[in-house]
Amino acid sequence: MKKYQVVGIGNAVVDVITQCDDSFLEQMGIDKGIMQLIETERAQLLYASMKDRVQAPGGSVANTLAGLGSLGLRTGFIGRVHDDALGRFYAQAMTDDGTDFVNAPVPGGELPTSRSMIFVTPDGERSMNTYLGISAELGPGDVPEDVASDAEIVFLEGYLFDKDKGKEAFIRLARTCRAAGGKAGISISDPFCVERHRDDFLNLIENEMDFVIGNEAEIRSLFQNNDLDADLARVSAICPLVVCTRSGDGVTIIRDGARTDVPVDRVVPVDATGAGDQFAAGFLYGLATGADMATAGRMGCVAAGEVISHMGARPEANLLQLFRRSNLT
């Protein structure tokens, strides 16, 4: 038995969340519903504008690992934080949530720990403004070989693709895990990530990945032909397992050419932050425990449904109990 069932690699970001209306977004020049990268001065301005802030450890893959940890899986996280107050808070919070934070906070004069200012409008949509800080400096030297080789599944975050050393860290983790008999997968993370790195994404998916998870916009962005079914067919031709979330239209899973469509109950979200992250947690739990694709997809939908019912990107209810109520375990 391997030490870890799932190891993730991604940005270690402290989430700072507040509620606002659309007019506030317009006033502050915030593009609704997407993630924007910002610099230090902009980060300070937006942070000062936030009222009734809620602070929590975040980052897409880290949120997924928190969900997996709450489900009882053995998890580890590869990320980079500064040895400052936020970095120490982040590392301890991951440990408290049951996930090994395998990289010690970095001392010295490097960039500060990363943080993301998230503005949630009444329709539940979240607009993320992320100062990457030290997390964007993660590279292959931050990937411990013993951790990578002792993982059943490794899960990668597309946001790290903005620097070459992030890509190199991905490849080191994926190849080391797969060489030891594990599986590697990626969350596409954002269509703008694909826009910036389309060729690299496609090369990674085809040559290094065993599965890929993305929403409809992210899958469409890979090939730009405005035909989701055609895009799914093309991705599944180069990757054995493709998972596409489609909001209220459910989930489409293609594994070794066999398609499974999973319906979802439509609800108005309180806060959509973390919906994709927790879908991934539920799905990966099913994948790691040997569930069939329909069951794994439904687990993902249940986990996503829980997290959008409240503020914050991590589950508050017991996901295993929710799975049992839905006859999934």
Side-chain angles (χ1 to χ4, degrees):
M1 181 176 71
K2 290 183 179 289
K3 180 176 180 179
Y4 299 106
Q5 289 166 287
V6 181
V7 167
I9 182 171
N11 283 309
V13 183
V14 177
D15 285 340
V16 187
I17 306 172
T18 192
Q19 293 179 310
C20 70
D21 56 25
D22 287 338
S23 64
F24 178 85
L25 298 182
E26 184 175 352
Q27 176 187 348
M28 299 300 294
I30 298 170
D31 289 339
K32 184 175 180 178
I34 66 170
M35 192 281 288
Q36 292 180 288
L37 298 178
I38 58 175
E39 299 300 328
T40 305
E41 185 175 340
R42 175 73 168 165
Q44 292 170 340
L45 171 67
L46 292 181
Y47 185 84
S49 75
M50 302 178 87
K51 298 179 180 179
D52 300 320
R53 297 182 292 253
V54 177
Q55 187 169 289
S60 178
V61 164
N63 289 336
T64 296
L65 291 170
L68 288 167
S70 76
L71 285 163
L73 294 196
R74 304 182 305 279
T75 56
F77 179 62
I78 297 170
R80 193 172 179 86
V81 298
H82 194 144
D83 188 15
D84 53 19
L86 278 180
R88 292 187 293 272
F89 159 77
Y90 191 98
Q92 187 61 51
M94 291 296 293
T95 301
D96 291 345
D97 283 342
T99 293
D100 284 352
F101 191 82
V102 303
N103 306 92
V106 179
E110 288 202 43
L111 295 168
T113 295
S114 310
R115 72 286 313 266
S116 181
M117 277 67 70
I118 303 173
F119 297 87
V120 183
T121 42
D123 58 2
E125 191 61 79
R126 80 272 192 268
S127 305
M128 304 168 65
N129 299 265
T130 302
Y131 169 65
L132 288 178
I134 195 173
S135 68
E137 300 304 310
L138 188 145
D142 296 304
V143 179
E145 186 170 346
D146 58 338
V147 172
S149 61
D150 213 7
E152 295 176 11
I153 296 170
V154 295
F155 191 46
L156 293 67
E157 177 183 310
Y159 286 131
L160 275 180
F161 257 54
D162 279 308
K163 290 200 174 182
D164 287 342
K165 56 187 171 182
K167 300 172 192 175
E168 293 167 9
F170 274 16
I171 291 172
R172 175 177 168 85
L173 178 62
R175 289 181 179 173
T176 304
C177 174
R178 297 178 89 198
K183 294 186 180 300
I186 188 169
S187 166
I188 296 176
S189 296
D190 191 287
F192 291 99
C193 290
V194 178
E195 293 293 335
R196 293 190 292 267
H197 309 287
R198 183 172 288 106
D199 289 344
D200 285 340
F201 260 107
L202 289 172
N203 182 63
L204 187 80
I205 290 169
E206 181 170 9
N207 297 304
E208 311 286 355
M209 296 291 102
D210 299 291
F211 64 92
V212 58
I213 300 176
N215 63 30
E216 182 173 352
E218 291 159 1
I219 295 293
R220 284 179 182 273
S221 67
L222 289 170
F223 298 105
Q224 297 181 292
N225 64 10
N226 202 33
D227 184 334
L228 180 61
D229 285 337
D231 290 338
L232 286 169
R234 291 182 70 177
V235 182
S236 63
I238 61 173
C239 187
L241 174 57
V242 179
V243 183
C244 178
T245 59
R246 297 157 53 215
S247 299
D249 293 326
V251 179
T252 296
I253 303 168
I254 303 176
R255 186 177 200 179
D256 297 327
R259 177 166 174 159
T260 302
D261 289 301
V262 180
V264 65
D265 295 329
R266 289 177 177 266
V267 297
V268 176
V270 173
D271 174 14
T273 308
D277 305 337
Q278 294 313 319
F279 171 84
F283 180 82
L284 290 176
Y285 176 82
L287 187 66
T289 56
D292 60 60
M293 290 297 94
T295 299
R298 289 176 61 203
M299 287 175 169
C301 292
V302 169
E306 191 282 334
V307 81
I308 67 174
S309 70
H310 57 77
M311 290 287 290
R314 299 188 174 191
E316 294 180 352
N318 186 307
L319 293 180
L320 274 179
Q321 289 183 2
L322 295 179
F323 291 170
R324 292 188 187 107
R325 290 175 196 165
S326 299
N327 297 316
L328 297 175
T329 59

